[in-house]
Amino acid sequence: MNISTELFLWLNKQTDIQSHNVDLIDGFLFMLQKINRHQSIRLISDQQIHPRFWRSHDRTFGYKLMTKNKKNKNAHLYQFYLDVAFAEQFIQMEQESIRVTEKGKCFLEKEKEEQLDLLFTYIW
């Protein structure tokens, strides 16, 4: 999996050394929980969730990654989330939508440190 340098730059800007919260895992879990709650989320193309889904992430976390332009070049974090979820088989495609797998549901039950360690394996 290729990770863009823009994602690293953005993550560095978000880092608050005074905080015990880690937005990286919180956002990833939020994505999986939301897909699980809705049971399926519509895709607009191969492995691309409708931008409306990510706009709720922007509102919840205050990221402002989804710009008005159609390309959403700043949304590297969201692509990273999807890439990891597909690679780990936490989500799967079914026709024109995705859903959380049993493996994804098990991941949601793990300790936060273990969840974060998994994401870090994709970054480091």
Side-chain angles (χ1 to χ4, degrees), residues 85-99:
F86 277 114
E88 290 294 322
Q89 299 174 348
F90 294 157
I91 58 176
Q92 70 180 25
M93 290 192 309
E94 288 184 348
Q95 297 174 5
E96 294 179 3
S97 65
I98 56 171
R99 69 169 190 82

Side-chain angles (χ1 to χ4, degrees), residues 21-31 57 61 81 112:
N21 295 328
V22 181
D23 280 357
L24 181 67
I25 191 62
D26 291 340
F28 186 74
L29 295 174
F30 183 82
M31 175 195 72
H57 255 72
F61 291 95
Y81 285 163
K112 199 167 193 172

Side-chain angles (χ1 to χ4, degrees), residues 16-118:
D16 178 3
I17 59 173
Q18 305 301 320
S19 174
H20 296 290
N21 295 328
V22 181
D23 280 357
L24 181 67
I25 191 62
D26 291 340
F28 186 74
L29 295 174
F30 183 82
M31 175 195 72
L32 287 178
Q33 290 165 342
K34 187 172 180 183
I35 295 168
N36 193 39
R37 187 172 338 117
H38 291 281
Q39 297 180 348
S40 70
I41 299 293
R42 183 170 64 101
L43 296 172
I44 57 173
S45 66
D46 187 39
Q47 298 187 3
Q48 291 294 319
I49 294 178
H50 195 283
R52 182 176 31 232
F53 179 87
W54 296 121
R55 283 194 286 274
S56 71
H57 255 72
D58 276 2
R59 285 189 304 275
T60 301
F61 291 95
Y63 291 155
K64 299 178 183 172
L65 295 175
M66 298 299 290
T67 58
K68 298 244 186 244
N69 73 25
K70 297 275 185 199
K71 296 191 190 265
N72 296 315
K73 291 182 181 178
N74 295 326
H76 301 291
L77 176 65
Y78 301 144
Q79 189 60 53
F80 172 73
Y81 285 163
L82 281 177
D83 290 346
V84 171
F86 277 114
E88 290 294 322
Q89 299 174 348
F90 294 157
I91 58 176
Q92 70 180 25
M93 290 192 309
E94 288 184 348
Q95 297 174 5
E96 294 179 3
S97 65
I98 56 171
R99 69 169 190 82
V100 175
T101 64
E102 286 303 314
K103 189 174 179 182
K105 292 175 185 177
C106 289
F107 179 77
L108 288 170
E109 301 298 320
K110 293 186 179 201
E111 295 291 322
K112 199 167 193 172
E113 288 296 320
E114 190 176 349
Q115 294 167 330
L116 186 58
D117 285 347
L118 177 83

